């Protein structure tokens, strides 16, 4: 089954703080190194490649260590899946440099969308995914950082259709027919 195409490219800007200092993460798919970190007007770090076709940026802390993590949606081939497919890569920032955290080839099934959610019982933030099932439906899953990659939390919810995931009033919502519907999988929220 062919992957769902990602949304059209756009520039994402996400403000964040690290050790009391204000920064701004910018994902611009048109730049040679699309993920850039700014302190004021000065760029302090950059990483990723334009040929990876980045299509989304979320900033959070998936492992709970206090350092910002950057989830970047990409459309590219990977080591074990040679044709281009949607995936999410993670980078972390130490105040001076961006470092690769997780460049997983897939989260299980073809990825439609992702969103970073609330903290999971004192741990880091959760990763919520919208994935295309083999039957053509859409599954919503919640995952947590396991030290090297992500593992499922609770059960998934399968929907006939869904468009995207969004943060909505402190919760995660799946957008169906243009309307956000709050999600609760396994009592995390």
């Amino acid at each position: 089954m062919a992957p769902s195409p990602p949304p059209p490219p756009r520039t994402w800007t996400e403000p964040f703080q690290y050790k009391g200092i204000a920064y701004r993460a910018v994902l611009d798919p048109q730049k040679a190194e699309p993920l850039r970190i700014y302190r004021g007007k000065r760029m302090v770090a950059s990483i990723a490649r334009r040929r990876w076709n980045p299509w989304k940026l979320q900033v959070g802390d998936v492992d709970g260590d206090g350092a910002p993590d950057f989830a970047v949606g990409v459309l590219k081939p990977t080591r074990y899946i040679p044709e281009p497919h949607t995936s999410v890569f993670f980078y972390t920032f130490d105040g001076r440099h961006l470092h690769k955290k997780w460049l997983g080839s897939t989260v299980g099934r073809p990825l439609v969308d992702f969103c970073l959610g609330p903290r999971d019982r004192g741990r880091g933030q959760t990763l919520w995914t919208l994935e295309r099932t083999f039957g053509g439906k859409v599954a919503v899953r919640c995952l947590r950082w396991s030290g090297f990659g992500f593992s499922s939390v609770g059960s998934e919810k399968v929907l006939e259709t869904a468009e995207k995931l969004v943060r909505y009033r402190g919760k995660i919502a799946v957008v169906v027919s243009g309307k956000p519907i709050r999600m609760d999988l396994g009592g995390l929220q």
Side-chain angles (χ1 to χ4, degrees):
M1 172 182 287
S4 299
R10 68 171 250 214
T11 299
W12 294 78
T13 300
E14 293 273 339
F16 67 96
Q17 287 208 359
Y18 180 57
K19 295 188 176 181
I21 299 170
Y23 293 92
R24 177 174 43 98
V26 176
L27 180 70
D28 184 346
Q30 305 307 315
K31 300 288 185 184
E33 290 187 322
L35 179 57
R36 291 165 292 137
I37 306 300
Y38 291 89
R39 181 176 177 187
K41 293 185 179 202
R42 188 173 69 91
M43 184 174 68
V44 295
S46 65
I47 201 166
R49 302 289 177 256
R50 179 176 45 209
R51 72 178 182 272
W52 294 355
N53 302 305
W55 53 271
K56 186 172 185 177
L57 171 68
Q58 295 264 286
V59 179
D61 181 7
V62 296
D63 56 11
D65 68 355
D69 297 315
F70 305 90
V72 178
V74 297
L75 174 66
K76 70 175 291 296
T78 53
R79 182 176 185 178
Y80 297 110
I81 303 174
E83 59 276 342
H85 62 282
T86 51
S87 189
V88 58
F89 286 2
F90 279 82
Y91 300 92
T92 192
F93 181 62
D94 65 7
R96 297 179 68 189
H97 303 284
L98 280 161
H99 303 279
K100 296 174 187 174
K101 183 180 197 90
W102 186 71
L103 307 181
S105 62
T106 180
V107 289
R109 295 172 287 212
L111 182 69
V112 175
D113 198 14
F114 68 91
C115 188
L116 293 179
R119 289 191 173 276
D120 176 20
R121 299 183 181 121
R123 298 180 183 176
Q125 285 179 267
T126 51
L127 170 65
W128 289 71
T129 60
L130 213 54
E131 302 167 29
R132 181 86 44 216
T133 68
F134 294 109
K137 297 182 180 181
V138 179
V140 181
R141 279 198 312 158
C142 179
L143 303 113
R144 92 168 46 109
W145 181 251
S146 64
F148 182 75
F150 292 87
S151 57
S152 289
V153 177
S155 58
E156 68 183 21
K157 184 167 187 155
V158 178
L159 306 167
E160 289 294 323
T161 185
E163 298 156 24
K164 63 182 177 176
L165 287 167
V166 295
R167 294 179 191 146
Y168 181 75
R169 297 183 182 169
K171 306 282 185 179
I172 296 299
V174 61
V175 178
V176 178
S177 300
K179 298 178 184 174
I181 301 167
R182 282 192 354 211
M183 299 301 298
D184 184 6
L185 301 177
L188 281 176
Q189 299 182 359

